C-alpha cells in the first residue's frame, strides 16, 4: 500500500564544507521512495563565481553523520499523518561505513537550480531502516547560501 508523500527541506544555510545535504533513514516498518530533490544557491552570481559541484545519491551507510540538524518531514497532504522516516540536513560529517552504493552522480552548476524528478522506473526504493544520502562531495570555493529539498514517499 502506498502511504504519504513528504517533503524535507533546508533554507538559507551557509554551506562552506563538503556534507550530506540530506540523510534520510526509512522507518523500522515502512520502506521509502525517493521521488526527487533540488538544490539551489543565491549568493554567488555571475561568470566569475561559476562552479560545478558534484552531488551523489548514496545508500547503505550504517553510521549516521553529524554536524547538521534534524528536519521534520512535512506531509504534502496537510491532513496526512506524521512520517515514520527521519531526516537530517547539512551534516558536515558524512554518513559512513557499511556497504555503500552510489546510485546517481550529478554535476550541479551553481548558476542555476538543480531540480531532479525521478520517473517511476528510476525512483530509489529503500527498505525499512535503510539510510540514504544526497551528498555534496566537495566544499564550494567559497560560502554558498543554499536551499534544498527532497520529496519522499512512504510505502505501507
Amino acid at each position: 500500500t502506498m502511504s504519504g508523500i513528504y517533503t524535507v527541506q533546508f533554507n538559507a544555510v551557509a554551506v562552506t564544507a563538503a556534507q550530506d545535504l540530506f540523510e534520510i533513514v526509512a522507518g523500522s516498518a515502512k520502506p521509502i521512495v525517493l521521488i526527487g530533490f533540488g538544490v539551489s544557491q543565491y549568493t554567488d552570481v555571475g561568470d566569475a563565481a561559476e562552479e560545478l559541484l558534484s552531488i551523489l545519491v548514496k545508500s547503505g551507510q550504517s553510521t549516521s553523520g553529524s554536524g547538521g540538524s534534524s528536519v521534520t518531514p512535512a506531509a504534502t497532504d496537510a491532513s496526512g499523518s506524521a512520517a515514520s522516516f527521519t531526516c537530517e540536513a547539512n551534516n558536515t560529517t558524512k554518513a559512513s561505513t557499511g556497504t555503500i552504493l552510489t546510485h546517481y552522480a550529478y554535476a550541479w552548476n551553481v548558476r542555476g537550480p538543480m531540480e531532479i524528478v525521478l520517473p517511476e522506473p528510476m525512483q530509489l526504493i529503500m527498505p525499512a531502516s535503510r539510510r540514504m544520502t544526497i551528498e555534496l562531495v566537495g566544499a564550494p570555493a567559497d560560502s554558498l547560501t543554499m536551499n534544498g529539498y527532497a520529496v519522499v514517499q512512504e510505502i505501507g
Side-chain angles (χ1 to χ4, degrees), residues 3-6 30 73-84 154 156:
S3 200
I5 298 175
Y6 302 86
K30 289 188 179 182
T76 58
D77 174 352
S79 63
S81 58
S84 299
E154 287 192 321

Side-chain angles (χ1 to χ4, degrees), residues 139-153:
D142 55 359
S143 182
L144 298 177
T145 302
M146 288 181 59
N147 292 346
Y149 70 88
V151 181
V152 177
Q153 183 167 30

Side-chain angles (χ1 to χ4, degrees), residues 39-137:
V39 294
S40 57
Q41 65 85 28
Y42 55 92
T43 47
D44 274 20
V45 296
D47 294 348
E50 185 171 30
E51 292 184 66
L52 293 170
L53 299 176
S54 181
I55 306 280
L56 301 179
V57 179
K58 296 181 175 183
S59 73
Q61 305 93 329
S62 54
T63 303
S64 179
S66 62
S69 57
S70 292
V71 177
T72 302
T76 58
D77 174 352
S79 63
S81 58
S84 299
F85 70 92
T86 59
C87 179
E88 294 176 357
N90 309 110
N91 279 341
T92 51
T93 299
K94 298 176 189 178
S96 61
T97 67
T99 303
I100 301 171
L101 302 174
T102 300
H103 299 279
Y104 293 111
Y106 302 96
W108 170 42
N109 184 328
V110 302
R111 289 187 73 177
M114 183 171 107
E115 305 277 345
I116 302 296
V117 178
L118 297 169
E120 192 171 348
M122 294 175 66
Q123 292 173 358
L124 297 178
I125 302 169
M126 298 290 134
S129 302
R130 188 168 178 91
R131 177 175 281 106
M132 66 177 296
T133 58
I134 300 170
E135 174 187 339
L136 175 63
V137 176

